[in-house]
Amino acid sequence: MIYGISNGILSANVSTLGGELVSLRKDGKERLWQNDNGSWRGHAPILFPVSGDCTMIVDGKQYPIKKHGFARKMEFYLVGMSKEEITLGFKSDEETKLVYPYDFEFHVTYRLKDATLEIYYDVFNPSEAPMYAMCGCHESYALAEEVGKYEVLFNKNETFDSYIYDEPNAGIKHEVVKFGDGKYLALPQKFLNTDCLIFKDMNSTEVVLRKIGGKKIAKLKFEGFKNFLFWHPLGSKMICMEPWHNLPDFVDEKNVEFPLKNGAQEIPPKAKKRFTHSIEYLDFN
């Protein structure tokens, strides 16, 4: 089922399948990727309880969790809704426990405030023991031109060393491709057409997507997400900008227990933990 919310500036559609944002319009323009060239059917999937290829080993037992977890494949229920805000959720069940041994309830809230979309992930732990989870954001940004015409500006200085993804071994290598230092990063068309950019331990909490030397397209703010990825399907006029808690597993470190992985978030017994990010939508062309 698709639900719609609007505040007169932004209008958004959200699907109960995966709790995914499937449309976001401003100034009469669609700002989410709509599979214009058939290269990717997604729009803004939620990555939970892992992002990327991540083994799930708990108390010595390995669980066969798939890449990006299972939230994006689950049917969410409506928790609450108003004209400008909606919350959807889903809970652990027998099937989720086959790949992820924790009890949980997960909510996603989308709130429209002026030209900004606020997004909240709430993870509830109903059990008497700590649980662990990781979240990742995967929103797409529709572009008027090819991705090589754009750049991103971070709010703090960064070292842009992108880890290399090893497709055959479903993980990343310790090798990096260097893109320089500073706050500016031009989006390299050729590299993005082969795979993603994977940056570890970022300092920044904001990033602005803009035409090179020109108009700002969107501003993404995020707290508590230390890793950042860019992904671009071949031939598309879009970019995904993705704050993640974790990185994909390094190919030689897949046997680490899940609670000990870099980026694992502990949710205490009978408690809730909230993770948030927001996107301000600016110009399109």
Side-chain angles (χ1 to χ4, degrees):
M1 184 173 180
I2 303 294
Y3 290 100
I5 55 175
S6 177
N7 68 351
I9 300 173
L10 300 178
S11 60
N13 290 338
V14 182
S15 174
T16 54
L17 179 58
E20 183 178 2
L21 184 72
V22 295
S23 175
L24 192 291
R25 299 185 70 86
K26 179 179 181 286
D27 301 330
K29 298 286 187 180
E30 177 61 62
R31 300 304 185 94
L32 286 183
W33 173 246
Q34 299 297 315
N35 203 19
D36 297 346
N37 70 345
S39 61
W40 185 53
R41 293 180 296 172
H43 309 277
I46 296 169
L47 312 185
F48 173 86
V50 299
S51 303
D53 292 292
C54 182
T55 54
M56 180 66 58
I57 301 174
V58 179
D59 295 331
K61 180 179 178 179
Q62 183 162 347
Y63 297 82
I65 197 164
K66 292 184 178 180
K67 183 177 182 178
H68 293 329
F70 46 70
R72 62 200 175 110
K73 303 293 186 181
M74 302 296 293
E75 185 68 21
F76 283 54
Y77 50 80
L78 179 64
V79 177
M81 183 179 178
S82 66
K83 182 180 178 181
E84 300 177 357
E85 179 177 325
I86 185 170
T87 300
L88 301 174
F90 78 104
K91 298 179 179 180
S92 55
D93 58 24
E94 291 182 0
E95 289 191 9
T96 65
K97 285 194 171 183
L98 293 176
V99 297
Y100 178 65
Y102 298 105
D103 288 312
F104 67 88
E105 184 172 1
F106 180 92
H107 289 178
V108 57
T109 298
Y110 300 99
R111 179 183 300 158
L112 304 180
K113 186 176 181 181
D114 299 324
T116 298
L117 170 66
E118 299 175 345
I119 306 171
Y120 303 92
Y121 299 151
D122 290 314
V123 184
F124 301 84
N125 178 8
S127 73
E128 300 290 346
M131 66 166 286
Y132 298 85
M134 304 174 187
C135 296
C137 318
H138 203 312
E139 290 88 10
S140 60
Y141 297 78
L143 304 174
E145 299 185 57
E146 295 297 326
V147 71
K149 302 288 187 180
Y150 297 85
E151 63 184 359
V152 288
L153 169 63
F154 289 83
N155 68 323
K156 296 183 181 180
N157 285 320
E158 305 288 354
T159 298
F160 296 115
D161 292 347
S162 176
Y163 285 88
I164 297 173
Y165 185 72
D166 184 347
E167 184 75 37
N169 292 303
I172 56 176
K173 303 177 182 179
H174 289 278
E175 303 170 36
V176 297
V177 176
K178 294 186 176 293
F179 290 97
D181 301 327
K183 294 183 178 181
Y184 296 91
L185 176 68
L187 295 175
Q189 175 83 43
K190 183 177 180 180
F191 188 76
L192 285 169
N193 279 345
T194 60
D195 212 80
C196 53
L197 304 181
I198 304 171
F199 297 116
K200 182 177 184 290
D201 294 334
M202 304 295 282
N203 301 310
S204 297
T205 57
E206 296 181 17
V207 61
V208 173
L209 171 67
R210 70 182 189 182
K211 290 289 290 293
I212 293 179
K215 291 182 178 180
K216 297 178 180 178
I217 309 303
K219 177 188 286 187
L220 169 61
K221 295 183 179 181
F222 48 95
E223 295 283 349
F225 296 89
K226 294 298 293 179
N227 305 298
F228 203 93
L229 290 83
F230 294 95
W231 180 72
H232 164 74
L234 181 65
S236 66
K237 292 182 179 179
M238 65 86 85
I239 188 73
C240 286
M241 303 195 300
E242 309 177 26
W244 287 12
H245 284 139
N246 65 296
L247 288 177
D249 284 340
F250 284 96
V251 293
D252 58 351
E253 297 177 3
K254 288 181 173 288
N255 294 324
V256 176
E257 286 265 338
F258 185 69
L260 301 179
K261 286 182 181 288
N262 187 11
Q265 305 293 308
E266 179 179 335
I267 300 93
K270 305 294 184 180
K272 176 185 81 172
K273 199 161 189 177
R274 167 168 280 190
F275 311 108
T276 182
H277 64 292
S278 67
I279 305 166
E280 182 182 5
Y281 291 91
L282 305 166
D283 290 313
F284 181 71
N285 296 306

